[in-house]
Amino acid sequence: MAANGKKRILLSCGSGIVTSTLARKKVEELLDSNGYAGKYEIVQVPLASAPEKSRDFDFIVATSLAPTELHCPYVNGMPYLMGIGTDVPNAQILELMEAE
């Protein structure tokens, strides 16, 4: 967790822009509607830099298969793009927000 007490969430897709931005909106809506507004920080990165960057984050939400050599928990963000099955990543994210 960041020194400011906020959970640090890494969002990743191929380029770090397009699909991670779509997933980011869904994650922000989920967190804000569950009382986490102001209690998290999201950083978007390209998939290629996710393993190295993951050392400094509480968890990663990726709109791709899990990159190898991650240093934090992985949440599959593909359901946010497909619009179905979002209950699984939603539950994982909420659980990770409560983890120490």
Side-chain angles (χ1 to χ4, degrees), residues 9 19 21 29 42 62 72-73 91 94-95:
I9 304 166
T19 59
T21 299
E29 289 171 7
I42 296 177
C72 66
L94 294 175
E95 183 177 320

Side-chain angles (χ1 to χ4, degrees), residues 25-41:
K25 291 179 185 196
K26 299 293 185 185
V27 171
E28 288 175 337
E29 289 171 7
L30 169 71
L31 294 174
D32 291 351
S33 67
N34 280 276
Y36 292 106
K39 297 179 182 177
Y40 63 89
E41 168 186 352

